[in-house]
Amino acid sequence: MNVVALIDFDAATGAATGHRLVDADAPHLRVTDLAATRGDGIFETASLVAGRVQALEAHLVRFQQSARMLDLPDPDADVWRAAVLAIAEALTAGGVEEGSIKFVLTRGVEGAGIPTGWAFGTVSPDFTADRTQGVRIVLLDRGYRHDVAETSPWLLAGAKTLSYAVNRAAVREAARRGADDVLFVSSDGYLLEGPTSTLVLRLDARLVTPRVDIGILAGTTQGDLFTWAEQEGFATSYELLTPADLDRAEAAWLVSSVRHVAPVRAVDGVPRTVDAELTARMNAALDARTR
Ligand SMILES: Cc1ncc(COP(=O)(O)O)c(C=O)c1O
């Protein structure tokens, strides 16, 4: 089941005015939209579980941050929230228990000066195997230093842009190496993030994730996971991490909105132990989120 909402924009001011649910099978995007021709836009993907859109406010905040980094008009959170919730309602009414809702803002049709926006909801694939048995990852050099966000902000490291061709190519490289997913490493040797996920390690009895000022996305799922972990008595921290930290970590996970928590069961072909019990508790806690 697919559901689409288009965002309406005022032609004079470019401000978002509301949304309309439209036929999900009809064409809606112009071939000259800068999303299609340049990947020039931003997006978020939130998960829908049992009728609730998870971490919606954190996704809206990150959407606004990405818009600022790309000099796009500030997305009106009320308009986008209403569109996402309308899609969630339609999916839930259609019997969808686990779904995803992607919302996209582009620079619009070339020359028009008005953005394009939409939200798209669909059913999630079954991630049970990834969540329980885990994923095999490879470490791949991203080719940027860890201080890239500071030295070269035009590279948009840390913005959630539509230009994911590189991230997709990295996953294909992982498949060529017999793995399922990727952990990017900076050219100066720091662990970064997956192409669509955040790294979390259990290190010396605390949960650790890479610092977010090193050109990576601040993960909404990792944020909620750390809130839960702190309630459970875990210490948490944001640090500069290296492959040696991954080697000595008691457990490692890639976490993201739709797949949730996937334990890492091999790195560059070397098997790792999966903490099945803690992973199950993490996924249950994320499922139980009420917002
Ligand atoms: C590059 C990147 N890092 C991290 C994440 C995880 O973020 P979230 O937990 O908000 O889904 C994503 C999500 O797709 C991503 O694309």
Side-chain angles (χ1 to χ4, degrees), residues 58-109:
H59 282 291
L60 289 168
V61 166
R62 197 171 62 187
F63 198 50
Q64 291 174 321
Q65 284 163 354
S66 296
R68 271 195 290 282
M69 290 173 77
L70 270 76
D71 306 311
L72 285 165
D74 185 28
D76 181 330
D78 291 340
V79 170
W80 287 89
R81 184 186 301 106
V84 170
L85 291 177
I87 290 186
E89 200 180 311
L91 287 174
T92 305
V96 174
E97 183 64 17
E98 266 203 60
S100 68
I101 301 169
K102 180 180 211 173
F103 46 108
V104 180
L105 173 67
T106 89
R107 208 172 299 281
V109 169

Side-chain angles (χ1 to χ4, degrees), residues 247-262:
D247 274 353
R248 69 186 181 87
E250 293 121 64
W253 300 270
L254 291 182
V255 311
S256 53
S257 290
V258 183
R259 191 173 62 181
H260 296 172
V261 177

